[in-house]
Amino acid sequence: MSFVIIAILSLTSCSKDFLDEELTTQYSTEYFETAEGLEALTVSLYGNIRWHFGYEWAYGLTLYGTDEFTNANDLTNEMWNTYDSRLGPLGATPSTGAANWNATSPAALWDEMYYGISSANTIIANADIIDNEEIKNRCLAHAYFLRGYNYYRLTAQYGGVVLQTEPAVGVVRNFERSTEEESWEQVISDFRNAYNLFAGEVFTYGKGITWTKATAAHFLAKALLFRSSERNSDWNSAYIQSDLQEAIDACSYAIGARGTLTNNYSDLYANWTGVDCEIEQLDEILMAAGHNADGATTGRFGNRTYNYFTPQFSNFSGGWVRRGVWIGGMDFQRCRPTEYAYAVYDHVNDARMWKTFKTVYGINNIADNNLGLESGDPGIVMILNSQNDNTYDGYNFGAYVQNPDWVDVNGRLPEWEEGSRQTETAGTLTSTPGQYVPNVSVLYQNGEYVAPNFKSQPICNFFAGINKTDDGSRFAEKGDAHRDVTMARLGETYLLRAECYVRLEQYGNALNDINVVRERAQWKAGENRSFYSDGSQAFENNALNTGTAADNYVYSNLNMNTYYLSNPDIAVTTDASDLMLTSFPGNLPAEDEAILTAVGAGSDYERALHFILNERTRELLGEWQRWETLSRTGTLISRARAFNPEASTGITENKHELRPIPQSFIDGLLNDDGTNLTDAQKAEWQNPGY
């Protein structure tokens, strides 16, 4: 890759809504040396962040190879999960063993982040030509923020990177690689500048999708915490105390400025009802990649995230559940939750589990009337029981399961929310005793984790997916999603501050922040624990919601989960639950104690840190940052080995905590005298082990 002053290929015009995009490649570089051009370029910065969610790299770089997710039967980005020899500087193609041409290259993030940095550099270098001080500061704040964010993403993945802070003139090929210490200093400096320049919570381009002072505060805290964490322990001792206190102060600003957490966890993701709906405007959201239904705003990359968290339901036995726009996700089976991702929750008391995992699909395709099944009967059922549950030890699971006691489980009929589509079978999974359910899985039998046994060859494709990206507003089965992608929110800010307190051994303060997050996670009095929703409901407002499509929507999305089947000893209740910790880091919940034992966390600090990593999973599962969090805290190797069987044999210490520097970039470098780099010089550019 080369740095060129006109690196941005498509920009946006300055408008009331930054998503009202139009191509402006006709602009010359001189246009961006005018006040009007600089503000137009500032608005265009928002488009750069949408790249992160436009293709397979969305999960490959951020979720694979961790404790939370592993690959299913689709092997597109397998190497990012298994850490095999195909994860290298050259990238993987079918000729080098990749399953297809869609495999993510290590150059993808590297190249795209520098495009955004180039635009930010142009704004910063020319801002003085803007006479209006308010507009000038706004442009600078945005430019410093995006440059800081892009360098944050680069440094988190690659370590020390090229720090280009001036507009490049022509083609430049003689760069120097900065150290990781120098790179974090640049990130932190940019975020500090943005924090100081943003005028509080002023939503310049539209509430909920605009960067503000609280956005900068959140990421400033993340960068400071990163510099203070274990990955940088060889050189960071002089920074730790001051960085942690500054990070606490930054978190405190964001929390104070944006108010309390939204009351219902479902409002963050599950209750998405359509384009620009109310939940996209929540005060808790600090940063989002904005999308809408205007095809002209898709840009170079649309939102493809709805593809990655869903099991391969359309290929399950009998074809009873077919895919379509009425089901909010496509069954690309990329991200399969690990056993840890289920076991980390309190299955009874933590509402986040049941507001996140989709466990029931309705029949929308009658494949065999001889079974007596009807459209709208359960076609896929996933029972998320606990390891100590022996209820299902004698059951046969998989295809065409006949379980007569699933009707009115133990005589219990939970009340459904008024207006639910499934009032006649309230709380039951079948309406007739002895009725078949075409596809059923369970997590545990006889104390063993058996969920991967329900599979197609060679790897399991039957699992409970998560609903944070489901979108029933799509205009085509494989069309782009129209919902925003949340990139930062206050739920994480509280956990960032709690971790800072842990590192300062202020465990009481950490406990207070943790309990704020866990209080929101509790069942509220009156809640129906069997009710489920996701972004499929946006189909109700979709112009395609007519005729057969409308029927398929009703049949497919049953608004129910398997809470009571998964917790068979729990009586039906609408009481509030209790997740509040009374001590920390001693005497933790049983699910946490089991995980801490598995990773060998013994000291108070280790117990506290790993608990926060567990809490981050419960709060932030699938929210595009797990790999960097584990790399930062020095826990990537131990937790991947403990909880991700596919990653455990390939992941290597002192190598896989960083990504390979793209070979295409290294090969394009020249010495100052114009000569090519020697093999030894190229090796110096590369990260250890690659």
Side-chain angles (χ1 to χ4, degrees), residues 168-382:
V169 178
V171 177
V172 182
R173 296 176 63 183
N174 57 337
F175 295 108
E176 293 183 4
R177 183 180 179 184
S178 299
T179 65
E180 191 157 7
E181 181 176 5
E182 292 168 336
S183 297
W184 282 119
E185 179 59 35
Q186 183 62 51
V187 172
I188 290 166
S189 174
D190 281 346
F191 282 146
R192 281 177 180 150
N193 285 335
Y195 178 75
N196 291 327
L197 286 163
F198 275 122
E201 304 313 290
V202 179
F203 297 95
T204 310
Y205 300 116
K207 187 177 184 298
I209 51 176
T210 303
W211 310 330
T212 69
K213 192 178 187 74
T215 314
H218 177 91
F219 281 97
L220 173 59
K222 291 190 73 166
L224 291 162
L225 183 56
F226 210 127
R227 183 164 70 176
S228 302
S229 294
E230 283 76 2
R231 199 177 88 179
N232 299 320
S233 60
D234 288 346
W235 53 264
N236 67 5
S237 59
Y239 297 100
I240 292 175
Q241 292 294 316
S242 59
D243 278 3
L244 292 176
Q245 187 56 59
E246 185 178 358
I248 288 170
D249 293 342
C251 288
S252 298
Y253 171 80
I255 291 168
R258 300 299 284 271
T260 59
L261 302 182
T262 189
N263 183 56
N264 185 356
Y265 190 80
S266 287
D267 284 345
L268 293 168
Y269 300 103
N271 290 337
W272 191 77
T273 58
V275 180
D276 297 333
C277 63
E278 290 184 3
I279 71 166
E280 291 189 347
Q281 316 305 320
L282 295 172
D283 286 338
E284 180 170 344
I285 298 173
L286 301 174
M287 181 179 178
H291 294 268
N292 63 26
D294 184 350
T297 71
T298 301
R300 186 179 174 200
F301 299 102
N303 178 358
R304 310 298 296 178
T305 59
Y306 66 91
N307 290 303
Y308 302 134
F309 296 106
T310 306
Q312 199 177 22
F313 59 83
S314 66
N315 281 358
F316 290 170
S317 298
W320 296 89
V321 181
R322 60 180 176 179
R323 65 192 190 189
V325 289
W326 53 85
I327 295 182
M330 285 284 285
D331 55 350
F332 281 16
Q333 51 153 342
R334 300 297 199 261
C335 296
R336 175 166 60 98
T338 62
E339 179 184 5
Y340 159 83
Y342 301 120
V344 71
Y345 290 92
D346 179 331
H347 288 212
V348 174
N349 296 305
D350 198 327
R352 291 173 297 192
M353 180 176 193
W354 302 101
K355 294 177 179 180
T356 297
F357 286 105
K358 185 179 180 73
T359 58
V360 179
Y361 291 77
I363 293 173
N364 60 34
N365 182 39
I366 298 298
D368 185 352
N369 281 321
N370 292 329
L371 293 177
L373 298 174
E374 299 178 359
S375 294
D377 283 337
I380 301 169
V381 173
M382 303 173 189

Side-chain angles (χ1 to χ4, degrees), residues 23-40:
L23 291 178
T24 56
T25 51
Q26 72 272 21
Y27 290 147
S28 66
T29 56
E30 287 78 13
Y31 176 67
F32 301 118
E33 295 173 7
T34 68
E36 178 187 9
L38 285 177
E39 189 163 15

Side-chain angles (χ1 to χ4, degrees), residues 18-19 46 49-50 53 209 287-291 303 483-487:
F18 76 89
L19 289 175
Y46 284 95
I49 64 173
R50 292 159 67 190
F53 309 106
I209 51 176
M287 181 179 178
H291 294 268
N303 178 358
R483 65 184 297 176
D484 295 351
V485 183
T486 299
M487 302 174 71

Side-chain angles (χ1 to χ4, degrees), residues 467-506:
N467 64 8
K468 294 183 175 181
T469 60
D470 287 348
D471 184 348
S473 73
R474 306 192 318 276
F475 300 141
E477 187 177 285
K478 296 183 181 180
D480 285 323
H482 303 132
R483 65 184 297 176
D484 295 351
V485 183
T486 299
M487 302 174 71
R489 56 184 179 82
L490 286 181
E492 184 192 10
T493 314
Y494 275 102
L495 295 177
L496 291 173
R497 191 168 70 175
E499 185 179 336
C500 292
Y501 285 135
V502 163
R503 292 177 181 276
L504 293 171
E505 299 184 355
Q506 298 178 19

